[in-house]
Every structure is written in C-alpha cells, then in structure tokens.
Amino acid sequence: MSDHGTPRDGTVRRFEHPGRGMIRARPIPKGRQVDPHAKMEIEALLGDASRQRDLLIEHLHLVQDTYGQISAAHLAALADEMGLAFAEVFETATFYAHFDVIKEGEANVPALTVRVCDSLTCAMFGAEKLLAELQQVLGEDVRVVRAPCVGLCDHAPAVEVGHNFLHKADVDKVKAAVMHQDTHPHVPDYVDYDAYRAAGGYKTLERLRSGDLDVEDILKVLDDGGLRGLGGAGFPTGRKWRSVRGEPGPRLMAVNGDEGEPGTIKDQFYLNTDPHRFLEGTLIGAHVVEATDVYIYIRDEYPISRAILAAEIEKLPAGGPTLHLRRGAGAYICGEESSLIESIEGKRGLPRHKPPFPFQVGIFGRPTLINNVETLYWIRDLIEKGADWWKSHGANGRVGLRSYSVSGRVKEPGVKLAPAGLTIQELIDNHCGGMSDGHSFAAYLPGGASGGILPAAMNDIPLDFGTLEKYGCFIGSAAVIVLSDKDDIRGAALNLMRFFEDESCGQCTPCRVGTQKARMLMENSIWDTELLGELSQCMRDASICGLGQAASNPLTSVIKFFPELFPDHPMAAE
C-alpha cells in the first residue's frame, strides 16, 4: 500500500473527501518511477562501492564512461540507489560540461566525441577553421564540439578524440585517430615509485614522521623562503599551514589540480613527469596540519595525470592520511577553492560566500588546507635545500622560482622554470628562443585569461606577485601567452570573454549577465567603451568570486593600453 492509500498493484481506490465527495486516487504514486532494468544496471555498475553522498560525481562518471551518456532512467536509478532526490542528482549532472545528460525523448549522443580546443592559443593557431572542417568530414557517427582549454597550449591546436589528446592537430591526424579508434590516453615515461625512492625520495617525509624533523622547522623554512601559493592567489604557504593548524580538529586537506586557466600547463607537466615529488609534498603538508584525509582533485581534461596518480598512490606504503583521488567534470569554476570543496562533496561547483574561509569551514564543514599542485611540488626541495636556496633565485629584485607556462608566437613554447621576476622580454629572448619566424612581438597576457593584456611596449615589468596590479593585471599562475603583429588584439579579448561567459556558474547576476552582455557588446564592430567600462566595474564590485571579478580584466586593459583601437575613448589617453 502506498502512502496515499493506493495499492501497489495499480488498482484504484475511491474515498470520500470532506467537501468534495467521492474522489478517485491516482493509480500510481506521484513523481518519477525507477525503471527496474536501469535499477539493475546501476546496482551492477556500482557493485560494492560506497553510496555515500560525496561520491555522486564519481558515480556519474562511471555511468558516463560505461554508456557514453547518462539517460534519465539511469539518473533516476542512481538517485534511488544513493538515497537522493532526483532533482539533486539531475542538477549536479547537468552542471558539469562532461556529463551528457539525455532527457526523455532526446536522441542518444554518438559513440565518439571529438573536442576541439578553442581557447586563445589554439584559436590563434586555427582552431576555428579546424572545428568547421572536422564537422564536415567526420560524419554523423562522430560528434564534434568546441571545448575550453585542455592544457596543451604549447601544442596548439589541441584536439581530444575520446580521451586521446592530439598535439598540433590537423584534419588528417584527427581522421586517422577516429579511423583506428585511437581514443585512449597515452601515458608517457615518468619517475615512478621505485625510481623516486632510489633517488632519495620520501626520506624527508620519513624524518618528519619519525620525529627527527620538527614541524616548526618546516614552517620556519616555508616562512623564511617566502614560498607562496602558485595556483594564482599567491597566499604565503607557511601562514596558510599555520592557520589550519590553529583550528580545532579533525582537519582535512584538498589539492587543487583543476588547472583550467587558459594558457596554464605547468601542473599537468609536473604530474606527468615526477608525480611522487608532488605526492611527498602533499603528505608532508597533511602531516603538518594533521589531516586525516586528503582529497586530490584533478580536472577531467587530465586523464593521463589521473592514471599516473591512481597507479602510484597504490604503491605508497601503509600509514599516513587516506588519499582520495577525485575527478573533475569540466567546470573551470571548480578551480576556485570554495567551488572545489562543493565539487569534492559531490555537488554543483557553486562558490560559497566568505567568511567563513575554507581553513575554518571546508570539506564536510571541517578545517581544510587547500594547496595547488605546483606549490606542493616544491615542498621537498625547499625543506632539503633550505630557504636560502629558494631565495638565491630571482630577478629584478624578486625572489624564488616560477614555472612560466608560455604559449603563442614564440619558437619554443612550454613550461619554463626560471627566476621569478623576469620581464616578458627576458622570458621570450632567453628561454623561448625568441619570437616565431615572421612574427613581431605585439602584446602579451602575463597571467592567463583573467590576468589582462599588455602591449609589447610594456616589456620591462617584472613578472611576479605585486608587480602588475597597478596596471590592472596580475601574474596568477604565470600563464604567459605571446601575441604578434599578426594577431587581432580585440579578437583575443572577445575570445576570453566568450570563455568566461561559458564558464560562469550562473549563481550571481553580475557575472552571469555581465559576461553575456560584455560579449554581445564586444561582438560589435565599434565598441561602446563607456558602457563596457560601467559593466566591468559592476562585475568587479558585485560578483561573488574571482571569475566574475576578473573576467573584464582583458577587456579593460585592451581599452586602456591599446589607444589606437579606441581613439575616442577617454581611458585611452591615461
């Protein structure tokens, strides 16, 4: 018998309602019914895996990977299996770009998806033309879609066939991969556990766990060396670790491996070459703050990194915190720390209002240490070589090392480990082999999509924290994109605004509507610079998180520093 008095066999019951007389009960309960076959498939797919709430995104990935899409029947069955409301599962699945949710009556997606990166560097190297050509030649059995940055800016244009990434792709390369079903990631050679141990790896962690190395000594090295967060915000690492230690336990730790800023490639580089140096730094951080569990969140566009980490984590000896490898699902916003927390908890990646801050109230409401991949990568070296070693590097009055992700019109793009504080000219001339043949230096992005755009004439600014802010720019994660005289500066700013519009989570009006309105205004042949300026100010002042606050930086910097494009605008003369 149902809660409404209707027998479960479907027979109809009549009863008298005060004031309405005899009424007829519904033959079935309200709401979506779980399909028995879909229920069996979900049960078999999950097997003995936990049904806890925070694993929802992981289970959605399982369905997507198995069936190539997520049907309404599977969503309902998954919701029932995990004891969640269908609406909650549906809104989470539809929030993330890499889940293909098929509503009732919609056609199934093709078995193979080809994603063409259209972020700035790939667009500079012909991604738009490549996308159009592939949509014409690959046929109806292959879905061809545009995709935001996949972290291969030094190999532009990049194309993803299934989960196989093609470097410097063209039509013939993509057609060959499709024809031969070459759709799986190719794992390169890297420093595995045995090789890392043989070279002295994990001795620092062992010293710390044995008590031979004191926690305060580590914190002092971090403070004295001045290591700052290398994910973009630049917060002092030692101070962050002390803040988390000062909160009552139990404490947790999260690693932000959601490297989605267009132009940024450094974290993937380190994970794919020397993963245990990162893992040792992670375990040292977890020990210092006494974290019981560590959640390593890696963006879905990095299947090679996830495969390497999954294999190498299994080789770690017992003891220490539990490491949980979590998979993003195509949402740039999850690089923001509070959105990251929401995603780790299996929810939509909507930014939280602050305060409280994550070091106070983080994952599952517990104090949480959040660090970027590269920050943790340097922990072992800094402890073993000392603060003076770190401070011995630097240029133009700055301190430390930076991993510059360089792409665009240079002869030798890639990750460039160099002194912090280099100027763009020094970076191009001394580390990138100069400009590409036939190209003259015209402009550059010092800090990825949100870091602004500066002209080549401003080539003497040290690239580091605190040096670019007075120009309305910042270095962020040091994603440097070099533009030449053959590139359209206004077109570059428009490309970036389209990215922000697409990646806005939609939670707050200034960002959701502001990015859309800005994009529409920027598509006009003549920009209404006064209106764009007002709109930019509103987005900076009222957006909840850094996405909306920084989305207009390229727009405003182009208006300000490229006066030849806007001769009638008052800002251009400043």
Side-chain angles (χ1 to χ4, degrees):
M1 187 74 70
S2 75
D3 294 338
H4 301 288
T6 304
R8 296 194 184 278
D9 61 6
T11 58
V12 177
R13 179 184 297 275
R14 297 177 182 273
F15 61 96
E16 186 171 359
H17 185 281
R20 293 173 59 187
M22 296 298 294
I23 63 174
R24 187 170 180 265
R26 294 177 179 269
I28 59 173
K30 289 183 178 180
R32 183 181 300 276
Q33 301 306 294
V34 177
D35 177 78
H37 182 67
K39 174 75 168 174
M40 290 175 58
E41 289 179 328
I42 292 297
E43 288 177 347
L45 199 57
L46 268 57
D48 296 330
S50 171
R51 271 62 168 174
Q52 64 196 52
R53 172 66 179 82
D54 58 291
L55 290 175
L56 173 58
I57 293 174
E58 296 297 308
H59 294 338
L60 287 169
H61 273 302
L62 201 55
V63 179
Q64 176 76 38
D65 291 345
T66 303
Y67 296 100
Q69 61 186 34
I70 305 176
S71 67
H74 280 145
L75 275 182
L78 181 61
D80 183 71
E81 187 68 15
M82 297 186 70
L84 299 172
F86 176 83
E88 189 173 3
V89 176
F90 179 83
E91 70 178 10
T92 300
T94 53
F95 179 85
Y96 295 94
H98 290 183
F99 293 139
D100 296 312
V101 179
I102 306 302
K103 303 178 181 68
E104 291 180 356
E106 290 184 342
N108 293 337
V109 300
L112 179 61
T113 295
V114 172
R115 290 185 168 88
V116 181
C117 177
D118 70 345
S119 288
L120 181 55
T121 305
C122 284
M124 291 163 58
F125 284 84
E128 198 68 38
K129 179 182 177 183
L130 179 60
L131 174 69
E133 292 176 346
L134 291 174
Q135 288 173 334
Q136 291 295 320
V137 303
L138 292 185
E140 296 180 357
D141 295 334
V142 179
R143 180 177 59 160
V144 181
V145 298
R146 61 180 70 245
C149 187
V150 297
L152 291 173
C153 310
D154 52 336
H155 298 289
V159 173
E160 183 183 6
V161 179
H163 287 297
N164 176 25
F165 291 88
L166 305 181
H167 299 179
K168 299 181 179 179
D170 56 28
V171 172
D172 291 337
K173 280 187 179 181
V174 177
K175 287 173 65 177
V178 171
M179 181 181 300
H180 296 99
Q181 292 295 298
D182 189 8
T183 60
H184 299 289
H186 299 280
V187 178
D189 293 332
Y190 62 90
V191 181
D192 65 7
Y193 177 76
D194 291 336
Y196 185 73
R197 286 302 302 250
Y202 289 111
K203 288 185 178 179
T204 298
L205 177 64
E206 291 169 354
R207 288 181 59 210
L208 177 62
R209 288 178 172 175
S210 69
D212 183 49
L213 184 62
D214 190 72
V215 166
E216 280 301 320
D217 291 336
I218 290 178
L219 292 172
K220 187 175 188 303
V221 169
L222 296 180
D223 290 338
D224 291 347
L227 180 66
R228 301 176 68 167
L230 299 174
F235 193 85
T237 303
R239 191 192 308 173
K240 178 180 283 191
W241 289 20
R242 289 182 188 277
S243 297
V244 177
R245 275 178 60 85
E247 296 294 316
R251 308 180 194 97
L252 301 174
M253 180 176 179
V255 176
N256 189 344
D258 193 61
E259 186 180 51
E261 183 78 7
T264 313
I265 57 178
K266 62 185 178 64
D267 289 355
Q268 180 177 216
F269 173 79
Y270 289 125
L271 290 174
N272 291 2
T273 55
D274 197 0
H276 284 281
R277 193 171 299 271
F278 152 72
L279 286 172
E280 183 170 9
T282 299
L283 293 171
I284 289 171
H287 184 93
V288 168
V289 301
E290 300 174 358
T292 59
D293 295 80
V294 179
Y295 294 83
I296 303 175
Y297 188 97
I298 305 295
R299 68 187 306 226
D300 198 30
E301 291 85 349
Y302 289 178
I304 294 173
S305 301
R306 290 199 318 275
I308 290 173
L309 287 174
E312 297 305 312
I313 287 173
E314 289 295 319
K315 300 175 184 178
L316 295 176
T322 302
L323 301 183
H324 306 269
L325 190 57
R326 292 296 172 86
R327 178 179 173 185
Y332 167 74
I333 190 64
C334 290
E336 193 275 336
E337 60 180 7
S338 65
S339 301
L340 177 85
I341 291 171
E342 292 290 301
S343 192
I344 288 172
E345 293 180 354
K347 305 171 186 175
R348 295 176 293 166
L350 299 179
R352 297 178 178 179
H353 291 277
K354 301 173 187 176
F357 296 96
F359 81 88
Q360 301 165 314
V361 181
I363 302 172
F364 309 132
R366 298 180 182 179
T368 302
L369 172 65
I370 303 178
N371 277 132
N372 164 263
V373 168
E374 192 199 354
T375 307
L376 296 167
Y377 180 89
W378 289 114
I379 295 297
R380 174 195 164 190
D381 281 337
L382 190 54
I383 294 171
E384 293 180 358
K385 298 178 181 179
D388 289 340
W389 164 78
W390 183 259
K391 290 191 293 186
S392 69
H393 299 282
N396 300 310
R398 314 306 294 180
V399 172
L401 291 166
R402 290 305 301 257
S403 300
Y404 298 96
S405 302
V406 186
S407 64
R409 308 298 187 180
V410 293
K411 288 182 179 178
E412 301 169 8
V415 177
K416 309 296 178 180
L417 181 61
L422 285 181
T423 66
I424 184 62
Q425 199 66 58
E426 291 169 331
L427 188 61
I428 293 172
D429 294 343
N430 302 332
H431 297 272
C432 300
M435 293 293 293
S436 299
D437 292 338
H439 291 266
S440 298
F441 182 30
Y444 66 105
L445 282 70
S450 54
I453 303 177
L454 294 173
M458 299 174 67
N459 64 349
D460 58 350
I461 305 170
L463 299 177
D464 198 15
F465 298 115
T467 61
L468 295 155
E469 283 76 0
K470 65 181 178 180
Y471 305 106
C473 300
F474 55 80
I475 191 171
S477 58
V480 179
I481 304 177
V482 179
L483 285 71
S484 79
D485 56 330
K486 292 180 171 56
D487 294 310
D488 178 4
I489 306 299
R490 293 204 328 176
L494 175 58
N495 176 283
L496 300 174
M497 189 57 70
R498 285 172 175 159
F499 168 79
F500 288 123
E501 178 191 6
D502 186 59
E503 294 294 337
S504 173
C505 75
Q507 181 179 192
C508 69
T509 302
C511 178
R512 181 184 68 250
V513 178
T515 53
Q516 180 190 52
K517 183 65 173 178
R519 185 263 305 165
M520 294 170 65
L521 291 170
M522 293 167 72
E523 287 176 338
N524 295 328
S525 58
I526 299 177
W527 287 9
D528 185 339
T529 53
E530 184 176 353
L531 181 57
L532 283 167
E534 293 176 2
L535 185 61
S536 299
Q537 189 64 50
C538 176
M539 292 166 63
R540 283 194 296 270
D541 291 344
S543 295
I544 291 174
C545 79
L547 191 156
Q549 294 164 10
S552 64
N553 284 346
L555 160 65
T556 55
S557 59
V558 165
I559 294 174
K560 184 173 184 178
F561 295 115
F562 295 85
E564 66 277 11
L565 302 177
F566 314 98
D568 298 326
H569 184 68
M571 274 183 65
E574 294 180 7

